[in-house]
């Protein structure tokens, strides 16, 4: 698949592996200050038209949503824990990274998330505090274009207003508000990296309602900073797979990264500094794959922590119905949240936040899919009525015309939902390793993910479900179903696998995200989070990347 | 990055499902070739897009649009307003979701029409809506999962039914049927979600 | 089995005029049925029953009528092929099974109506199973339809053929049109055990392929085997015998189910051939097998 692009190395001050939010924002931040930056990404670059295509894939249940970027042989992995990793469903290998299909939620971590050990005796503290990161949170919000309203009584402190006016609560949020008021639970609007008005050369949201595959460009994706970095002179090289990171004879610094082009040509990109920004799974994998005599357990892994302490955000959901209209599915994003239970007093139950669904009804399905005939068959066993139905319709025929089954929000009853995401404590046995029995397109062992919940997560999310049930009761809604931890798969937030810390024996990177072992190797990713809090990580990823960029900039001067 | 819920049909991911279907298609292609059936074969190695010529410019002729509209009238609930220009704009006016998709859709339209002529005594447009549904049923298209690389019936389900349902459900014209004023996939602005059922207009 | 069929067709001459006549009639029947939107299975069933009057010419005539019709409509395709296969296999096997069809000169057995009825019904059931499975297989392999939908479309035709045929035999008897029963060549028709075995194979082929195809298609909703494995583990747990066997079976169907459907025809064919060969050995043995289910003593 030769497209005539030059993918050979070029002189660089900084080489960044991965063009997701961390890599792209850092590339822009450094290029803007005159440094030569080369960004290597395994995935492709997409066009505006491609995002329209992705929207259709997202909405149609008969398409495979991830077909757009997933290369099944290249992206192979193993999943061995209790919790299915579903990696290729949630991560994106492309210029823009996983921000190509995020929901755009940009809450910050709370102060307590940085002090888990000193406050609760749990896990570990971050080597930095919320106050250290706060100015970078402000900067990240401006870079990404965050719309928000400063109305969260339990949110972390803010030094400056949101760059864009926030989105108002939805109709159903207001229904929930009454119930929450009754229970003394605060609600707040959800800050989002979605333009409420034109910003930074992109339009305001026009309500396609398909945020995960936003075709309008109103939602931030790291493509924005890939473009801006290029405008500042950075080079973004797509469709190149980085195979290994090579260090000098002493093992003190990195000399080059080895990558391969679609044509199969191998190159070495040299630079003064190297940043691995490949997400919570591929970042540790690349380090583990880059083992050497000095680093037999993987590059920058003298602590043994590379790949360990994997965390995600366990989530639970309660679905219910109301007799009155709930006006669902008219916008793609969540507009309200609650941080009432985030800053807890006792160690357990831990932090969680709630979000109130605006899409409680399935917006696909009906005749777009067909019920499996086998489930109909199994369901009919033991029921005379169903057996009779089976005789007339053995293969689960789809009705058309008058009887066409439509996805609908019409009622009564009308659907509502509350979701909660909580904190997961870092545990060494939750980890990313190399599965040497399976290889990818480049003959490299694939990542193997092992993830299980502990009592902390179970107790936290059990409490979260109780709260959800209380709110539904106060709302007068009848609960129709819950998604519990038993139902869960790994979330899209992969954190902790190259943790940050002051002790080189315990952690992989220092407080500026420089690896303890190699002076010019940095990591920009949620993989550096020592603990993960209960909030979406992207804004924190961006803030940390901007902070690291400042340090690299100083080093280069 | 909020996670989407996991359901049986929604757990899409990962490793190669190998080429079970490709194998089948290849075998089918060989069988058809061996049988010397060169004429009008709708399935096998692939639906053969009809018409020839400017497939990329205008994949569908007026006749295709007419047939597709007739099928839409039979597939949609009767209260869904639909005419040829709407179908042409919504179906063929959208960004082609994958390369070759429109050609496959046209081939599916032709396969249905061919079946109608062979077993229902005339083209789709000459049949009643009930008989049009009968054509789809007797082709085996209503009892299969939509599958882009499957048998002719599965492709009809995927390309023809799937496209028609997609354009309907992403159009405000279906709001009365679904109760969704600003359906996902339609850029209906950011006021509707706040308005509630008491409001008016789109 | 094919050798047998050939022999039976030698014993049951195809009359050219009948074929020509049947072609015309077949064309008309298909044309009328199509215009009246009568399901294709009904048309097929009627043509099969017509074999009672004109012998295997009905199948050939019906098939050529069908092809001509579809040619006229510009719609010759896999649909034509599958119906033709269904007709030919059905009538071919029925002629072999049923003495009432063996003469090829419009003969209805009224000398021994219960036997004729019995042999016709048994023949229709077994031939119908094979014909439906063979036709559905062709539709699948040609990439036209899933096995199970194709089979479901044609199965009513077996019922039609059976009911109409039985009605014809009964009516003929009522009318008292005594016609001598043609004597088929000894040994060309299967014995009781062979018939039973063929019934089992035909039923296993049809039902097994429908079930496998349906399950494989449903399991295909899982994009990868990893996800299926996780789903099954959630459903059946892990470690137990049920879980181990269950997940192995489901994963096998997931991976090889469609291939199994493709291979079902050769497998059923070979198995049937072996059974018929064994049956012939028995018939040719010094002790004559007088237990023909479907012809009884008529045979000798």
């Amino acid at each position: 698949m030769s497209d005539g692009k030059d993918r050979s190395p070029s002189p660089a001050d900084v080489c960044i592996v991965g063009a997701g939010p961390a890599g792209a924002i850092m590339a822009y931040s450094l290029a803007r200050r005159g440094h030569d930056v080369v960004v290597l990404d395994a995935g492709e670059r997409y066009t505006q038209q491609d995002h329209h295509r992705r929207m259709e894939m997202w909405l149609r249940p008969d398409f495979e949503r991830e077909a757009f970027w997933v290369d099944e042989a290249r992206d192979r992995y193993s999943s061995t824990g209790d919790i299915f990793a579903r990696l290729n469903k949630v991560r994106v290998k492309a210029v823009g990274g996983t921000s190509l299909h995020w929901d755009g939620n940009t809450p910050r971590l709370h102060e307590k998330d940085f002090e888990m050990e000193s406050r609760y005796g749990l896990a570990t503290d971050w080597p930095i505090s919320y106050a250290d990161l706060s100015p970078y949170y402000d900067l990240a919000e401006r870079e990404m274009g965050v719309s928000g309203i400063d109305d969260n009584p339990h949110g972390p402190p803010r030094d400056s207003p949101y760059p864009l006016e926030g989105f108002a609560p939805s109709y159903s949020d207001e229904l929930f508000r009454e119930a929450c008021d009754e229970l003394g639970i605060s609600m707040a609007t959800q800050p989002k990296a979605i333009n409420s008005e034109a910003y930074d050369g992109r339009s305001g949201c026009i309500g396609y309602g398909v945020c995960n595959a936003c075709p309008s460009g109103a939602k931030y994706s790291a493509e924005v900073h890939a473009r801006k970095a290029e405008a500042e002179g950075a080079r973004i090289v797509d469709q190149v797979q980085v195979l290994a990171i090579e260090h000098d004879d002493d093992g003190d610094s990195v000399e080059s990264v080895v990558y391969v082009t679609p044509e199969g040509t191998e190159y070495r990109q040299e630079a003064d500094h190297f940043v691995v920004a490949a997400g919570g799974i591929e970042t540790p994998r690349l380090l583990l794959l880059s083992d050497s005599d000095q680093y037999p357990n993987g590059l920058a892994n003298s602590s043994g922590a590379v790949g360990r302490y994997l965390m995600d955000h366990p989530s639970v959901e309660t679905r219910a119905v109301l007799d009155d209209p709930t006006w669902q599915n008219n916008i793609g994003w969540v507009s309200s949240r609650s941080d009432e239970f985030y800053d807890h007093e006792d160690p357990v139950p831990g932090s969680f936040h709630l979000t109130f669904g605006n899409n409680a009804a399935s917006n696909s399905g009906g005749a777009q899919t067909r019920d499996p005939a086998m489930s109909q068959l199994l369901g009919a066993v033991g029921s005379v009525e169903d057996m009779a139905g089976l005789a007339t319709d053995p293969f689960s025929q789809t009705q058309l015309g008058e009887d066409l089954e439509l996805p609908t929000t019409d009622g009564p009853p009308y659907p509502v939902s509350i979701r909660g995401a909580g904190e997961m404590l870092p545990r060494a046995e939750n980890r990313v390793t190399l599965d040497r029995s399976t290889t990818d397109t480049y003959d490299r062992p694939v990542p193997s993910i092992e993830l299980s919940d502990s009592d902390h997560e179970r107790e936290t999310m059990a409490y979260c479900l109780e709260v959800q049930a209380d709110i539904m009761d106060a709302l007068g809604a009848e609960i129709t179903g819950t998604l519990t931890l038993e139902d869960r798969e790994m979330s899209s937030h992969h954190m902790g696998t190259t943790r940050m810390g002051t002790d080189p024996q315990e952690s992989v990177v220092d407080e500026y995200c420089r690896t303890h072992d190699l002076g010019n190797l940095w990591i920009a990713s949620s993989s550096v989070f020592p603990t993960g809090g209960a909030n979406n990580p992207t804004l924190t990823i961006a803030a940390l990347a901007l902070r690291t960029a400042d340090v690299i900039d100083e080093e280069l001067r | 990055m909020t996670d989407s819920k996991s359901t049986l049909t929604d757990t899409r991911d990962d490793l190669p499902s190998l080429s079970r279907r490709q194998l089948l298609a290849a075998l089918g292609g060989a069988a058809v070739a061996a049988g010397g059936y060169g004429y009008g074969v709708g399935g096998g190695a692939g639906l053969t897009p009809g018409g020839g010529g400017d497939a990329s410019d205008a994949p569908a002729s007026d006749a295709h649009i007419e047939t597709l509209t007739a099928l839409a009238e039979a597939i949609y609930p009767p209260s869904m307003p639909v005419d040829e220009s709407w179908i042409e704009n919504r179906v063929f006016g959208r960004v082609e979701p994958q390369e070759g998709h429109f050609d496959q859709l046209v081939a599916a339209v032709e396969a249905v029409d061919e079946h109608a002529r062979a077993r229902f005594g005339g083209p789709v447009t000459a049949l009643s809506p009930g008989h049009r549904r009968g054509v789809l049923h007797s082709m085996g298209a209503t009892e299969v999962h939509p599958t882009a690389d499957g048998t002719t019936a599965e492709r009809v389900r995927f390309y023809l039914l799937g496209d028609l349902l997609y354009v309907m459900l992403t159009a405000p014209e279906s709001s009365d049927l679904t109760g969704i004023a600003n359906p996902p996939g339609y850029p209906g602005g950011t006021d509707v979600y706040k308005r509630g059922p008491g409001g008016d207009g789109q | 089995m094919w050798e047998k069929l050939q022999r039976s067709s030698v014993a049951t001459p195809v009359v050219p005029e009948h074929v020509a006549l049947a072609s015309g009639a077949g064309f008309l029947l298909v044309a009328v049925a199509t215009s009246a939107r009568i399901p294709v299975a009904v048309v097929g069933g009627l043509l099969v029953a017509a074999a009672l009057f004109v012998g295997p010419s009905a199948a050939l005539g019906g098939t050529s009528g069908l092809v001509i019709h579809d040619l006229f409509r510009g719609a010759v395709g896999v649909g034509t092929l599958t119906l033709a296969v269904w007709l030919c296999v059905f009538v071919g096997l029925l002629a072999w099974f049923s003495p009432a069809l063996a003469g090829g000169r419009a003969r209805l057995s009224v000398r021994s109506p219960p036997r004729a009825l019995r042999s016709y019904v048994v023949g229709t059931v077994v031939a119908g199973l094979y014909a439906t499975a063979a036709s559905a297989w062709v539709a699948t392999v040609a990439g036209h339809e899933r096995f199970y939908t194709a089979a479901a479309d044609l199965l009513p035709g077996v019922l039609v053929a059976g009911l109409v045929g039985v009605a014809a035999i009964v009516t003929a008897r009522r009318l008292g049109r005594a016609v001598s029963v043609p004597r088929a060549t000894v040994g060309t028709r299967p014995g009781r055990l062979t018939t039973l075995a063929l019934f089992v194979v035909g039923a296993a082929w049809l039902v097994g392929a429908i079930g496998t195809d349906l399950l494989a298609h449903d399991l295909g909703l899982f994009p990868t085997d990893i996800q299926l494995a996780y789903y099954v583990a959630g459903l059946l747990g892990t470690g137990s015998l049920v879980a181990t066997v269950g997940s192995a079976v489901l994963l096998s169907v997931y991976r090889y189910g469609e291939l199994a459907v493709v291979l079902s025809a050769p497998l059923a064919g070979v198995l049937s051939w072996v059974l018929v060969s064994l049956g012939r050995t028995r018939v040719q043995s010094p002790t004559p097998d007088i237990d023909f289910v479907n012809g009884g003593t008529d045979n000798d």
Side-chain angles (χ1 to χ4, degrees), chain A residues 308-322:
Chain A
R308 291 194 180 271
Y309 305 107
L310 173 65
M311 296 169 284
D312 76 339
H313 286 133
S315 69
V316 294
E317 185 172 320
T318 300
R319 297 169 183 169
V321 290
L322 267 181

PDB file of all heavy atoms in Angstrom, chain A residues 308-322:
ATOM      1  N   ARG A 308       2.897  -3.408  35.066  1.00  0.00           N
ATOM      2  CA  ARG A 308       2.122  -3.727  36.277  1.00  0.00           C
ATOM      3  C   ARG A 308       1.193  -2.575  36.664  1.00  0.00           C
ATOM      4  O   ARG A 308       1.238  -1.508  36.091  1.00  0.00           O
ATOM      5  CB  ARG A 308       3.075  -4.029  37.427  1.00  0.00           C
ATOM      6  CG  ARG A 308       3.847  -5.346  37.235  1.00  0.00           C
ATOM      7  CD  ARG A 308       4.497  -5.755  38.535  1.00  0.00           C
ATOM      8  NE  ARG A 308       5.241  -6.993  38.397  1.00  0.00           N
ATOM      9  CZ  ARG A 308       4.712  -8.211  38.572  1.00  0.00           C
ATOM     10  NH1 ARG A 308       3.430  -8.327  38.867  1.00  0.00           N
ATOM     11  NH2 ARG A 308       5.455  -9.284  38.426  1.00  0.00           N
ATOM     12  N   TYR A 309       0.363  -2.852  37.668  1.00  0.00           N
ATOM     13  CA  TYR A 309      -0.545  -1.843  38.235  1.00  0.00           C
ATOM     14  C   TYR A 309      -1.556  -1.318  37.221  1.00  0.00           C
ATOM     15  O   TYR A 309      -1.970  -0.164  37.277  1.00  0.00           O
ATOM     16  CB  TYR A 309       0.240  -0.676  38.851  1.00  0.00           C
ATOM     17  CG  TYR A 309       1.250  -1.134  39.874  1.00  0.00           C
ATOM     18  CD1 TYR A 309       2.618  -1.128  39.593  1.00  0.00           C
ATOM     19  CD2 TYR A 309       0.821  -1.621  41.107  1.00  0.00           C
ATOM     20  CE1 TYR A 309       3.545  -1.581  40.520  1.00  0.00           C
ATOM     21  CE2 TYR A 309       1.744  -2.078  42.049  1.00  0.00           C
ATOM     22  CZ  TYR A 309       3.107  -2.054  41.747  1.00  0.00           C
ATOM     23  OH  TYR A 309       4.015  -2.501  42.660  1.00  0.00           O
ATOM     24  N   LEU A 310      -1.927  -2.162  36.290  1.00  0.00           N
ATOM     25  CA  LEU A 310      -2.935  -1.768  35.306  1.00  0.00           C
ATOM     26  C   LEU A 310      -4.250  -1.443  36.028  1.00  0.00           C
ATOM     27  O   LEU A 310      -4.698  -2.196  36.890  1.00  0.00           O
ATOM     28  CB  LEU A 310      -3.163  -2.919  34.304  1.00  0.00           C
ATOM     29  CG  LEU A 310      -4.312  -2.745  33.308  1.00  0.00           C
ATOM     30  CD1 LEU A 310      -4.034  -1.584  32.352  1.00  0.00           C
ATOM     31  CD2 LEU A 310      -4.531  -4.027  32.505  1.00  0.00           C
ATOM     32  N   MET A 311      -4.828  -0.314  35.661  1.00  0.00           N
ATOM     33  CA  MET A 311      -6.140   0.071  36.218  1.00  0.00           C
ATOM     34  C   MET A 311      -7.048   0.506  35.082  1.00  0.00           C
ATOM     35  O   MET A 311      -6.584   0.965  34.040  1.00  0.00           O
ATOM     36  CB  MET A 311      -5.986   1.281  37.159  1.00  0.00           C
ATOM     37  CG  MET A 311      -5.150   1.043  38.391  1.00  0.00           C
ATOM     38  SD  MET A 311      -4.808   2.624  39.224  1.00  0.00           S
ATOM     39  CE  MET A 311      -3.548   3.334  38.187  1.00  0.00           C
ATOM     40  N   ASP A 312      -8.339   0.367  35.308  1.00  0.00           N
ATOM     41  CA  ASP A 312      -9.304   1.011  34.421  1.00  0.00           C
ATOM     42  C   ASP A 312     -10.364   1.642  35.324  1.00  0.00           C
ATOM     43  O   ASP A 312     -10.120   1.809  36.517  1.00  0.00           O
ATOM     44  CB  ASP A 312      -9.901   0.011  33.422  1.00  0.00           C
ATOM     45  CG  ASP A 312     -10.931  -0.905  34.045  1.00  0.00           C
ATOM     46  OD1 ASP A 312     -10.901  -1.059  35.287  1.00  0.00           O
ATOM     47  OD2 ASP A 312     -11.766  -1.454  33.315  1.00  0.00           O
ATOM     48  N   HIS A 313     -11.497   1.989  34.775  1.00  0.00           N
ATOM     49  CA  HIS A 313     -12.581   2.528  35.600  1.00  0.00           C
ATOM     50  C   HIS A 313     -13.765   1.586  35.554  1.00  0.00           C
ATOM     51  O   HIS A 313     -14.493   1.548  34.552  1.00  0.00           O
ATOM     52  CB  HIS A 313     -12.982   3.925  35.117  1.00  0.00           C
ATOM     53  CG  HIS A 313     -11.986   4.980  35.469  1.00  0.00           C
ATOM     54  ND1 HIS A 313     -11.532   5.909  34.565  1.00  0.00           N
ATOM     55  CD2 HIS A 313     -11.329   5.235  36.626  1.00  0.00           C
ATOM     56  CE1 HIS A 313     -10.647   6.702  35.154  1.00  0.00           C
ATOM     57  NE2 HIS A 313     -10.502   6.308  36.401  1.00  0.00           N
ATOM     58  N   PRO A 314     -13.954   0.831  36.629  1.00  0.00           N
ATOM     59  CA  PRO A 314     -15.117  -0.056  36.651  1.00  0.00           C
ATOM     60  C   PRO A 314     -16.396   0.784  36.630  1.00  0.00           C
ATOM     61  O   PRO A 314     -16.434   1.865  37.234  1.00  0.00           O
ATOM     62  CB  PRO A 314     -14.976  -0.810  37.975  1.00  0.00           C
ATOM     63  CG  PRO A 314     -14.045   0.006  38.809  1.00  0.00           C
ATOM     64  CD  PRO A 314     -13.161   0.744  37.865  1.00  0.00           C
ATOM     65  N   SER A 315     -17.390   0.311  35.919  1.00  0.00           N
ATOM     66  CA  SER A 315     -18.624   1.091  35.867  1.00  0.00           C
ATOM     67  C   SER A 315     -19.835   0.200  36.041  1.00  0.00           C
ATOM     68  O   SER A 315     -19.789  -1.002  35.759  1.00  0.00           O
ATOM     69  CB  SER A 315     -18.718   1.853  34.541  1.00  0.00           C
ATOM     70  OG  SER A 315     -18.926   0.963  33.486  1.00  0.00           O
ATOM     71  N   VAL A 316     -20.891   0.805  36.546  1.00  0.00           N
ATOM     72  CA  VAL A 316     -22.170   0.105  36.711  1.00  0.00           C
ATOM     73  C   VAL A 316     -23.261   1.036  36.209  1.00  0.00           C
ATOM     74  O   VAL A 316     -23.058   2.243  36.090  1.00  0.00           O
ATOM     75  CB  VAL A 316     -22.441  -0.260  38.188  1.00  0.00           C
ATOM     76  CG1 VAL A 316     -21.433  -1.276  38.687  1.00  0.00           C
ATOM     77  CG2 VAL A 316     -22.430   0.983  39.060  1.00  0.00           C
ATOM     78  N   GLU A 317     -24.391   0.464  35.906  1.00  0.00           N
ATOM     79  CA  GLU A 317     -25.464   1.277  35.348  1.00  0.00           C
ATOM     80  C   GLU A 317     -26.804   0.759  35.822  1.00  0.00           C
ATOM     81  O   GLU A 317     -26.983  -0.461  35.974  1.00  0.00           O
ATOM     82  CB  GLU A 317     -25.391   1.234  33.816  1.00  0.00           C
ATOM     83  CG  GLU A 317     -26.389   2.150  33.134  1.00  0.00           C
ATOM     84  CD  GLU A 317     -26.158   2.228  31.620  1.00  0.00           C
ATOM     85  OE1 GLU A 317     -24.985   2.281  31.202  1.00  0.00           O
ATOM     86  OE2 GLU A 317     -27.157   2.212  30.885  1.00  0.00           O
ATOM     87  N   THR A 318     -27.716   1.666  36.056  1.00  0.00           N
ATOM     88  CA  THR A 318     -29.079   1.280  36.390  1.00  0.00           C
ATOM     89  C   THR A 318     -30.018   1.857  35.338  1.00  0.00           C
ATOM     90  O   THR A 318     -29.944   3.048  35.015  1.00  0.00           O
ATOM     91  CB  THR A 318     -29.479   1.799  37.788  1.00  0.00           C
ATOM     92  OG1 THR A 318     -28.588   1.239  38.740  1.00  0.00           O
ATOM     93  CG2 THR A 318     -30.903   1.392  38.127  1.00  0.00           C
ATOM     94  N   ARG A 319     -30.839   1.001  34.808  1.00  0.00           N
ATOM     95  CA  ARG A 319     -31.819   1.429  33.797  1.00  0.00           C
ATOM     96  C   ARG A 319     -33.211   1.326  34.396  1.00  0.00           C
ATOM     97  O   ARG A 319     -33.492   0.401  35.160  1.00  0.00           O
ATOM     98  CB  ARG A 319     -31.716   0.560  32.554  1.00  0.00           C
ATOM     99  CG  ARG A 319     -30.367   0.696  31.878  1.00  0.00           C
ATOM    100  CD  ARG A 319     -30.163  -0.342  30.804  1.00  0.00           C
ATOM    101  NE  ARG A 319     -28.821  -0.211  30.244  1.00  0.00           N
ATOM    102  CZ  ARG A 319     -28.253  -1.099  29.433  1.00  0.00           C
ATOM    103  NH1 ARG A 319     -28.909  -2.189  29.083  1.00  0.00           N
ATOM    104  NH2 ARG A 319     -27.050  -0.892  28.978  1.00  0.00           N
ATOM    105  N   ALA A 320     -34.041   2.259  34.031  1.00  0.00           N
ATOM    106  CA  ALA A 320     -35.384   2.269  34.609  1.00  0.00           C
ATOM    107  C   ALA A 320     -36.351   2.910  33.628  1.00  0.00           C
ATOM    108  O   ALA A 320     -35.937   3.394  32.561  1.00  0.00           O
ATOM    109  CB  ALA A 320     -35.364   3.049  35.920  1.00  0.00           C
ATOM    110  N   VAL A 321     -37.602   2.861  33.967  1.00  0.00           N
ATOM    111  CA  VAL A 321     -38.609   3.506  33.118  1.00  0.00           C
ATOM    112  C   VAL A 321     -39.508   4.404  33.960  1.00  0.00           C
ATOM    113  O   VAL A 321     -39.738   4.165  35.137  1.00  0.00           O
ATOM    114  CB  VAL A 321     -39.473   2.471  32.360  1.00  0.00           C
ATOM    115  CG1 VAL A 321     -38.659   1.780  31.292  1.00  0.00           C
ATOM    116  CG2 VAL A 321     -40.097   1.458  33.316  1.00  0.00           C
ATOM    117  N   LEU A 322     -39.998   5.424  33.293  1.00  0.00           N
ATOM    118  CA  LEU A 322     -40.907   6.387  33.900  1.00  0.00           C
ATOM    119  C   LEU A 322     -42.215   6.414  33.103  1.00  0.00           C
ATOM    120  O   LEU A 322     -42.220   6.093  31.919  1.00  0.00           O
ATOM    121  CB  LEU A 322     -40.299   7.783  33.816  1.00  0.00           C
ATOM    122  CG  LEU A 322     -39.465   8.325  34.965  1.00  0.00           C
ATOM    123  CD1 LEU A 322     -39.020   9.734  34.619  1.00  0.00           C
ATOM    124  CD2 LEU A 322     -40.285   8.334  36.258  1.00  0.00           C
TER     125      LEU A 322
END
